[in-house]
Every structure is written in C-alpha cells, then in structure tokens.
Amino acid sequence: MPDFEMVQRRIAASPSPLAVGRWPAGRSARLVGALAWAQVRIVPWLVVPVALVTATMAVLAARFFGVSHSAPAAVAGFSSLMLFGIAVTITMALSSAKADALSLATPLGPQVVVMARVFVVLAIDALVGLAASGLVWVWGYTSDLSVLIASWTMPLAVIVGAVVFVAIWVAPWVGVVVGVVLIPLATPPATSVSFGLGAMSGVLWETLTPAGVLGAGLLLVIVAIGSARRAAGAGVAAV
C-alpha cells in the first residue's frame, strides 16, 4: 500500500476539474446542435403529419372566416388553429409515458434536453406555419402577410411556455388543455365574431400588447425549461 505522503502528492499533482476553464461558446453551440439532432430520433414521427393536418385546417379556417366574416376573423381563426397544432406537437414530444431518467445523467442536464426537443418541434412547426401563411396570403384572405405571421408567432412563446411547464410537471394532455384555454386569449381579436371563442379572443393581445405577450411568453419559456431538472427528478422519484 502506498503511504499517505505519496497519495497526497498524487492528488496535489492531479488537475482539479474545478480549475478547468469554461467551455468556449462554439463548443457549447456544437453540443446543443448535436443534441438537437439526436432528438430527431426521439421525437415521434407523427409530429410531422399532425403539423401538416392542423396547418391545413388553419388555412381552411382562414378561408371560411375570411369569406363569411372579415379579414380580422380570418387572421384569428388561422392563428388559433396554428397554435393548437403547435401545442399538440409540443406535448407529443414531451410525452411522459416513460420517465426520462437518462436526461438526468447527461452532462448538459434535462434543461438542455427539453430545450433541444422543443426546438426541433418548433422548427418543424415554423416551416409548416410559414408555408401555410404564404398560402393564405396568396389566396387573398388577408392583405398583409406580416400581420398574419405575427398573429401566431407573437403569442407562440406564451402557449409553448405554458404547455411545456404543465406537460413536464403534470401530464401532456393537461398541457394541451391549458393551451386550448390560452389560445383564444393570446391571439388577435376576431372583431366580427361575437360568439363562442370569438367573444373571448384577444384579451391578452389587447391588454399586454403584442410585444408584451411576446415578452411574457419568453419569460414563461425560461421558467418552464429551467424547472425541467426538478420535474424530471420528481418524475423519476414517483416511479
């Protein structure tokens, strides 16, 4: 057995992990990119057809409300169905059928895993949503493409943040319910529709302004992703 002095000298000569310099930003970006690419194999493939189907429904809703009511109603109908599709696809990617214990063991942690998984799904939804927005604009159901795109991208963070938080802490289906409740409140008001969801539309949009809705949504996303480690730990402990 080595004596105490030898063990002490060996420990003193070994570099401490705490003394290692911080990773450069480029390495962190490469790791996040690699993790996001790995999530492509984990995210259910049904996310793509669901995104396509809900975007098609959003285009048809824009046509229906644009013809029967007005351009603001077409924008509100389109954005509501687009956000509903995003809420569904996000919860599909965060399904808690199995406890994600592996994410607790990764060096990057559950927060980055959840962020990468959400980023992958949002990239798919964004591509589909932009294509659907262009189609609605080309068909003439709205005269301003930027307004149409802003109608679902500005409240996007609020819906995503709320759905992610509820999905990882409670259950994915509850996240969808919360998203359905928030969507008519956060989307632009359908001024010519005075029944059903149209009567409640635009409360947050008009109270906080679109910029305020975006800011509140980004804060909610940060809180939701930041709590992913505690949520994953609670889920593994419950199992």
Side-chain angles (χ1 to χ4, degrees), residues 122-166:
L122 286 181
I124 297 171
D125 288 324
L127 291 175
V128 175
L130 290 175
S133 300
L135 186 60
V136 171
W137 178 69
V138 168
W139 282 354
Y141 300 126
T142 178
S143 59
D144 195 333
L145 179 61
S146 61
V147 171
L148 183 64
I149 294 176
S151 69
W152 61 273
T153 55
M154 297 296 278
L156 175 64
V158 170
I159 305 305
V160 170
V163 169
V164 169
F165 186 85
V166 175

Side-chain angles (χ1 to χ4, degrees), residues 16-236:
S16 171
L18 299 178
V20 178
R22 298 183 62 182
W23 285 356
R27 184 181 181 186
S28 298
R30 288 192 298 272
L31 285 173
V32 172
L35 180 60
W37 179 251
Q39 299 304 306
V40 174
R41 294 176 293 178
I42 298 175
V43 171
W45 66 269
L46 285 174
V47 163
V48 175
V50 168
L52 291 173
V53 169
T54 52
T56 302
M57 294 171 59
V59 173
L60 295 176
R63 181 183 185 280
F64 172 77
F65 286 112
V67 172
S68 61
H69 294 283
S70 63
V75 171
F78 177 82
S79 61
S80 296
L81 280 172
M82 277 300 307
L83 291 172
F84 173 73
I86 292 171
V88 172
T89 54
I90 288 292
T91 55
M92 289 173 63
L94 298 175
S95 176
S96 59
K98 295 182 180 179
D100 200 0
L102 182 61
S103 65
L104 290 168
T106 60
L108 297 177
Q111 300 96 321
V112 182
V113 173
V114 170
M115 182 177 66
R117 196 170 298 175
V118 170
F119 173 79
V120 169
V121 177
L122 286 181
I124 297 171
D125 288 324
L127 291 175
V128 175
L130 290 175
S133 300
L135 186 60
V136 171
W137 178 69
V138 168
W139 282 354
Y141 300 126
T142 178
S143 59
D144 195 333
L145 179 61
S146 61
V147 171
L148 183 64
I149 294 176
S151 69
W152 61 273
T153 55
M154 297 296 278
L156 175 64
V158 170
I159 305 305
V160 170
V163 169
V164 169
F165 186 85
V166 175
I168 63 177
W169 277 101
V170 185
W173 69 268
V174 182
V176 174
V177 172
V178 171
V180 169
V181 173
L182 284 178
I183 285 171
L185 305 179
T187 51
T191 53
S192 63
V193 181
S194 59
F195 58 89
L197 293 178
M200 301 186 298
S201 66
V203 173
L204 293 178
W205 183 274
E206 293 185 331
T207 303
L208 300 179
T209 72
V213 171
L214 177 61
L218 292 177
L219 180 61
L220 189 56
V221 169
I222 293 173
V223 172
I225 293 177
S227 68
R229 177 177 291 277
R230 293 182 61 188
V236 172

